[in-house]
Amino acid sequence: MKKSIRKWLTILIPLFLGIAIIWYQFSSLTPSEIDKIKNSFQKANYFYILLSLVIACGAYWSRAYRWKYALNHLGYQTHFYNNFCTVSVSYLVNLTVPRSGEISRAALIRKYENVPFDKAFGTIVAERFVDLMIFFLFVFISFILQFDTLYQFLVDKNVSLKTILLFIGIGFLLFVLFLLIWIYAEWNIIKKLKQKLAGLTEGMASIFRMKNKWNYLFHSFFIWFCYLLMFYVTIFAMPETANMGFDIVVMGFIFGSLAVGFTNGGLGAYPLSIALILSLYGISNDVGTAFGWLVWTSQTLLTIVLGLASYLFLPIANKNK
């Protein structure tokens, strides 16, 4: 009973949060601004939206191809179409419960390629770690380049630099404390967890010992290059955003990526974060909102189409195994 309640809460809380954000965003718009948003959708150049979706497919392909290096290192020769389809399904599942797609991806590759769940999941966690480091690199460079703009925004919102540094410091100390407990503690519960996570640890460590680690890292950077590029080309879909500087694009990309984790696939949160960031650079609220929804809607539709097609294709492609 408790597990069932917990499961539904993990689905409903992000969903209701997304709905609340949508309500907040559109309730703050005037009827004139809503009409402008509708007009922006009608006049948008959808060639650039389609181009962004093609680039997004390149990121899907690269993520599936990168995965084979980690799995091969563990001794599992998987078929590329299974890698690609399980990745696509995982993105679809993430639209329901944030970050639940990783579990479904490991479960599907176990079903169709006989890769143990814990080892497969370990390689996925390792991927997320590498992706997170690359994302932090984006954040670090962008925040240095845009420090004055962001600092002024925080000042306007009455958020002091000391408060931000305090939270960062507390988070860092807690992380260090966790690592020390995990490495040196002799508690029974820690020992049991280490035993259960042995396969997971092996999967994570595989990227540091694999033969093709440089190819793995190349695909890791290529994936994020595709992510940034597919966001960049969408600015040309609207005349009001076509002349945005690349520095603005990068900031929008970063905050949009962060927003995806707050709700189901970024529902509500993604368009709102895009509108807020663009407003810092003088782009009107209706234009920023229209642009955010245009990008989010197109990417979400791609996720749904690829995910459903892959889910249907998997049992057909593996029927004779």
Side-chain angles (χ1 to χ4, degrees), residues 48-259:
Y48 292 103
I49 299 300
L50 291 175
L51 179 59
S52 75
L53 298 184
V54 172
I55 297 170
C57 289
Y60 276 78
W61 170 85
S62 189
R63 184 172 290 279
Y65 200 81
R66 177 182 68 170
W67 197 17
K68 83 179 184 69
Y69 292 120
L71 294 174
N72 286 355
H73 176 76
L74 296 178
Y76 301 98
Q77 302 293 326
T78 58
H79 296 85
F80 174 76
Y81 58 82
N82 281 332
N83 289 5
F84 183 88
C85 288
T86 53
V87 166
S88 300
V89 172
S90 72
Y91 279 108
L92 175 63
V93 174
N94 276 336
L95 293 180
T96 59
V97 180
R99 297 306 169 198
S100 62
E102 284 76 1
I103 297 174
S104 66
R105 182 173 154 195
L108 286 171
I109 206 69
R110 178 183 63 82
K111 179 178 180 180
Y112 292 112
E113 294 285 1
N114 295 318
V115 180
F117 178 87
D118 57 345
K119 293 185 179 181
F121 189 69
T123 61
I124 296 169
V125 173
E127 286 183 9
R128 291 304 182 189
F129 176 78
V130 173
D131 290 338
L132 188 62
M133 292 300 102
I134 295 174
F135 178 71
F136 279 155
L137 180 62
F138 273 104
V139 172
F140 179 72
I141 295 173
S142 300
F143 271 56
I144 290 177
L145 296 176
Q146 298 293 310
F147 178 80
D148 292 340
T149 301
L150 293 173
Y151 180 71
Q152 187 59 48
F153 172 75
L154 293 173
V155 169
D156 293 340
K157 296 296 182 180
N158 295 319
V159 180
S160 67
L161 184 60
K162 290 182 178 180
T163 302
I164 299 173
L165 293 175
L166 178 62
F167 277 104
I168 293 174
I170 292 173
F172 178 75
L173 289 175
L174 290 174
F175 177 71
V176 171
L177 179 62
F178 169 78
L179 287 180
L180 291 174
I181 292 174
W182 182 261
I183 295 172
Y184 297 108
E186 296 293 332
W187 304 337
N188 288 332
I189 188 172
I190 298 295
K191 291 180 179 180
K192 290 179 180 179
L193 280 173
K194 286 182 178 179
Q195 290 175 354
K196 290 184 177 181
L197 297 177
L200 178 63
T201 304
E202 183 181 355
M204 290 184 65
S206 64
I207 64 171
F208 301 105
R209 299 195 301 263
M210 69 176 67
K211 180 180 178 181
N212 296 303
K213 57 178 172 289
W214 297 116
N215 292 339
Y216 184 97
L217 290 175
F218 166 78
H219 279 280
S220 297
F221 279 97
F222 180 75
I223 290 166
W224 282 92
F225 170 75
C226 287
Y227 287 163
L228 179 59
L229 184 61
M230 74 188 196
F231 182 79
Y232 175 68
V233 298
T234 56
I235 71 172
F236 301 106
M238 294 174 58
E240 299 90 343
T241 58
N243 295 318
M244 283 197 311
F246 190 70
D247 55 340
I248 304 175
V249 172
V250 174
M251 293 305 297
F253 167 72
I254 288 172
F255 280 88
S257 300
L258 288 171

Side-chain angles (χ1 to χ4, degrees), residues 269-284:
Y270 185 93
L272 178 62
S273 67
I274 295 297
L276 289 173
I277 288 300
L278 296 189
S279 69
L280 296 179
Y281 298 92
I283 296 175
S284 63

Side-chain angles (χ1 to χ4, degrees), residues 28-42:
S28 63
L29 296 170
T30 64
S32 175
E33 287 176 323
I34 293 176
D35 288 337
K36 289 180 180 178
I37 292 172
K38 293 178 181 178
N39 190 51
S40 296
F41 267 86
Q42 292 171 356

